[in-house]
Amino acid sequence: APAKAKKIPSKGNNMELSSDGEVDEGSWEMEEEEDGSSDEMVDDYGAASSEEEELLPIEKAALKQKSDRGGLSEDDSEEEEEEAEEASRQKMGQKEEESTDLQLNLDIDEQFKLPTNEQIEREDILFSRDIHKLFPPDLHVIHQRIKGNMEVLQDFAVKREEGHTRQEYLAVLRRDMAAYYSYSDFLLMKLMDIFPLPELINFLEANEVPRPVTIRTNTLKTRRRDLAQALINRGVNLDPLGKWSKTGLVIYDSSVPIGATPEYLAGHYMLQGASSLLPVMALAPQENERILDMCCAPGGKTSYIAQLMKNTGMILANDSNAERLRSVVGNLHRLGVTNAVVSNCDGRQFPKVLGGFDRVLLDAPCSGTGVISKDPAVKTNKDEKDILRCAHLQKELILSAIDSVNAASETGGYIVYCTCSIMVEENEWVVDYALKKRNVRLVATGLDFGKEGFTRFKDRRFHPSLKSTRRFYPHTHNMDGFFIAKFKKFSNAIPQAQKDEEPAVEAATPSTDPGTITEPQPKKKKLEGSKADKEQKPPQPALKKRHSLQAQRRPLKA
């Protein structure tokens, strides 16, 4: 009920404000009620503090009933209390029964059951007609189905349903993962061949989260300690990248754009992924060497090589795309690299241009299945043809890279092959092909971490030395998916292809330029010509006799 109060200036007070701007307490008085309840206080909102006015209508009715039943005996009141207790007990018993029923239902629901064919057909129809764009599927239900399916597959002999094979469970799992993570069926089949099922889920989850931002200190201009202090003063939260890197820093958050600081513009650091540092570390360039970076754009690895060489020797930075070379030139100028030469050539034909390098770095173009967190379009726009097309190009490039190296180099003779893909067709398959076609062998990469490469995959068997290659995954190393292999060339001669082997990819024929070290091939043509001459020797005497007869006939005619 609204309070019956009004402002009445107290005697002797003129409603003066106090020093803190509040009205003195004595300037307010309550108007006395008719029943003389002048002791009631009014709260901040003007509501009376009396108990009767605070009661709700139902509470007032209960009080009235109590007053009407005030003449009842104490025994009756005790009986009513007992009845109330019994009723409460019954209610509690019903609640317990309901909770047990719910628990039983949960236990029953936890047992995973495969969806029926009708449900699968209905969902396929929805997806085929693009109705899922208007009515998207319940991702929570799909996620629970994936978890239940995984539990059954991990203990298939015990938890499986009778009459269902493992292939049926895998087909449902692949279909659910394609819907939940938005992958194509082809790519999921490839990933299921590479990873065990629990690790596959971790890989798919890691691709939904971006990798941490990392930078590489340019030691040509500054030290990592000084750079870190300068960035901290600008409000950047950072840490060293790891024990394996002496130049890397990981950025957690920043109050300034990390790609537009004065330190960045001055060339003190380069924005570069952690996995991009590993190939250069495996290459281990030495001072005063001749090094080829066959696919150099955008210049991060090239500048890191120059940094390790301390701007000595010579680096040939090549890329087949002229537009991408603009960023290479800009980064090399900004970072203060002075020992690099930029070229625009097709890497497959590079031995015709120049050879005799001490080391070659080949970061081959690939399908990009290791950097899905950066480019989610890879989930759906890659198929079998794309993978095989990339593998064919990589085989051509790796043969060209091997032919560009001088096996007689005093300090080098090494080739590092790397991709940002996790497909076996683009990695181990290509490396095994190079081992068969050229006089090279695999050596240790010098990296202390990373998983070993595959020596067998499905029905294929690779060379045992592929254990020395290294694979990096986003869910285990928190960096982009990467593959690295390091070769040592022990002979400049090119082995002859055997009939039993599969046809070789046509490699670039080396030139007769004195700069090239690879053995020229015209010798084979000479051998072939000599054989042909031997085969043509028998008919030569007949030709001589014919000419002699013609010579004898001429004077007779005259």
Side-chain angles (χ1 to χ4, degrees):
K4 296 179 181 179
K6 66 180 181 179
K7 302 175 187 177
I8 302 174
S10 61
K11 297 177 183 179
N13 290 332
N14 295 327
M15 295 185 65
E16 296 178 356
L17 293 173
S18 61
S19 60
D20 57 353
E22 296 181 355
V23 181
D24 293 336
E25 293 180 359
S27 62
W28 298 89
E29 291 183 359
M30 294 296 299
E31 183 180 5
E32 294 184 359
E33 300 288 341
E34 292 179 357
D35 56 357
S37 59
S38 60
D39 296 335
E40 294 179 0
M41 299 298 292
V42 179
D43 61 6
D44 296 339
Y45 298 97
S49 61
S50 62
E51 294 180 359
E52 294 182 359
E53 292 182 353
E54 290 180 355
L55 295 177
L56 295 172
I58 191 171
E59 293 175 339
K60 290 179 180 179
L63 287 174
K64 190 175 182 181
Q65 286 182 358
K66 280 187 179 181
S67 62
D68 294 341
R69 298 171 61 184
L72 295 176
S73 60
E74 295 179 356
D75 296 337
D76 296 337
S77 63
E78 290 178 359
E79 290 178 358
E80 289 178 358
E81 289 178 359
E82 290 177 359
E83 291 177 357
E85 288 178 359
E86 290 179 1
S88 64
R89 287 174 186 172
Q90 291 178 358
K91 290 181 180 178
M92 291 294 292
Q94 292 177 357
K95 289 182 179 178
E96 289 178 359
E97 290 177 359
E98 291 177 356
S99 63
T100 54
D101 292 340
L102 290 173
Q103 187 65 32
L104 289 173
N105 291 334
L106 288 174
D107 295 338
I108 293 171
D109 293 340
E110 285 179 357
Q111 297 178 0
F112 174 75
K113 293 183 179 180
L114 285 174
T116 61
N117 293 331
E118 295 179 357
Q119 293 176 351
I120 294 175
E121 289 177 1
R122 193 182 305 115
E123 292 180 2
D124 289 339
I125 291 171
L126 290 176
F127 275 92
S128 62
R129 295 180 180 178
D130 290 339
I131 302 177
H132 66 282
K133 295 179 181 178
L134 300 175
F135 304 100
D138 191 351
L139 295 180
H140 179 70
V141 174
I142 296 177
H143 185 60
Q144 291 298 326
R145 198 158 61 187
I146 291 173
K147 290 175 65 177
N149 202 338
M150 291 286 294
E151 291 177 0
V152 173
L153 288 170
Q154 288 177 3
D155 194 3
F156 188 72
V158 178
K159 297 183 179 180
R160 73 183 184 92
E161 290 184 48
E162 294 183 0
H164 293 286
T165 62
R166 187 179 184 88
Q167 295 300 324
E168 294 177 4
Y169 279 88
L170 289 173
V172 172
L173 178 63
R174 186 173 67 247
R175 184 173 164 280
D176 289 340
M177 286 193 298
Y180 188 77
Y181 295 104
S182 302
Y183 279 78
S184 64
D185 190 63
F186 161 76
L187 188 56
L188 269 179
M189 288 180 65
K190 289 289 186 183
L191 295 176
M192 290 176 75
D193 292 337
I194 295 174
F195 297 108
L197 289 179
E199 190 176 359
L200 175 61
I201 296 296
N202 296 332
F203 174 77
L204 297 177
E205 290 288 345
N207 285 334
E208 304 300 316
V209 182
R211 304 275 76 76
V213 178
T214 56
I215 61 175
R216 173 181 56 81
T217 308
N218 182 19
T219 55
L220 295 174
K221 292 191 174 184
T222 185
R223 295 184 301 175
R224 184 168 71 169
R225 183 188 308 170
D226 299 336
L227 175 63
Q229 189 60 48
L231 293 177
I232 289 171
N233 293 339
R234 296 190 183 278
V236 180
N237 186 13
L238 52 83
D239 269 333
L241 182 56
K243 294 181 180 179
W244 55 272
S245 175
K246 296 181 180 180
T247 59
L249 292 170
V250 56
I251 308 296
Y252 298 115
D253 54 44
S254 174
S255 59
V256 294
I258 201 66
T261 61
E263 287 78 15
Y264 176 83
L265 299 175
H268 290 185
Y269 65 88
M270 175 80 176
L271 280 167
Q272 194 169 2
S275 57
S276 297
L277 305 178
L278 301 174
V280 180
M281 295 173 63
L283 186 66
Q286 306 296 317
E287 296 182 18
N288 299 311
E289 284 187 337
R290 298 178 64 200
I291 295 180
L292 169 64
D293 189 356
M294 189 167 280
C295 305
C296 67
K301 298 180 183 66
T302 305
S303 58
Y304 192 18
I305 294 172
Q307 170 180 322
L308 295 177
M309 294 174 65
K310 299 179 182 178
N311 265 341
T312 62
M314 189 274 287
I315 303 172
L316 186 57
N318 178 74
D319 200 277
S320 61
N321 191 340
E323 294 295 327
R324 300 189 69 192
L325 284 176
R326 296 180 180 179
S327 60
V328 176
V329 175
N331 284 323
L332 294 181
H333 281 299
R334 181 176 60 84
L335 296 168
V337 176
T338 58
N339 64 340
V341 178
V342 179
S343 66
N344 178 25
C345 299
D346 187 356
R348 295 170 293 183
Q349 306 296 328
F350 203 84
K352 293 181 178 180
V353 179
L354 194 62
F357 290 96
D358 297 312
R359 299 171 196 258
V360 174
L361 174 62
L362 174 59
D363 185 6
C366 61
S367 60
T369 52
V371 290
I372 295 177
S373 59
K374 292 181 181 178
D375 185 12
V378 178
K379 294 179 179 180
T380 55
N381 65 1
K382 299 296 179 185
D383 56 7
E384 185 74 26
K385 292 181 180 178
D386 295 326
I387 303 297
L388 295 178
R389 190 183 300 113
C390 289
H392 182 78
L393 175 61
Q394 290 156 357
K395 289 177 181 179
E396 291 180 315
L397 288 173
I398 196 170
L399 294 185
S400 178
I402 294 171
D403 292 341
S404 300
V405 172
N406 181 14
S409 172
E410 295 180 358
T411 59
Y414 294 100
I415 304 99
V416 170
Y417 171 79
C418 61
T419 66
C420 56
S421 172
I422 60 172
M423 295 288 107
V424 177
E425 291 84 353
E426 301 179 72
N427 297 326
E428 284 87 355
W429 206 332
V430 176
V431 171
D432 189 67
Y433 174 83
L435 291 174
K436 294 176 181 178
K437 297 299 177 183
R438 292 293 184 271
N439 292 321
V440 292
R441 63 174 179 268
L442 284 171
V443 295
T445 59
L447 303 172
D448 299 333
F449 63 105
K451 293 191 175 183
E452 294 181 353
F454 293 107
T455 55
R456 58 175 59 191
F457 181 74
K458 298 176 72 173
D459 59 343
R460 294 193 67 88
R461 299 294 179 267
F462 303 120
H463 197 274
S465 62
L466 278 162
K467 286 185 177 180
S468 60
T469 62
R470 286 292 176 266
R471 281 176 163 265
F472 301 90
Y473 298 122
H475 62 284
T476 55
H477 308 100
N478 199 17
M479 60 177 66
D480 294 327
F482 228 76
F483 174 83
I484 298 175
K486 186 175 183 179
F487 297 92
K488 168 67 176 175
K489 187 175 182 180
F490 56 85
S491 174
N492 289 325
I494 298 176
Q496 305 237 348
Q498 299 178 3
K499 295 181 180 179
D500 297 337
E501 296 179 358
E502 59 186 23
V505 178
E506 293 182 358
T509 55
S511 66
T512 56
D513 189 10
T516 57
I517 305 297
T518 55
E519 187 176 357
Q521 293 182 352
K523 291 181 179 179
K524 296 181 181 178
K525 294 181 179 179
K526 291 180 180 178
L527 292 173
E528 293 174 0
S530 61
K531 290 180 181 179
D533 294 338
K534 289 179 182 178
E535 293 175 357
Q536 293 177 0
K537 280 183 179 178
Q540 283 181 359
L543 291 174
K544 288 182 179 179
K545 289 180 181 179
R546 184 178 179 183
H547 290 300
S548 61
L549 289 172
Q550 289 180 356
Q552 291 175 2
R553 288 175 184 174
R554 284 175 187 172
L556 292 173
K557 289 181 182 180

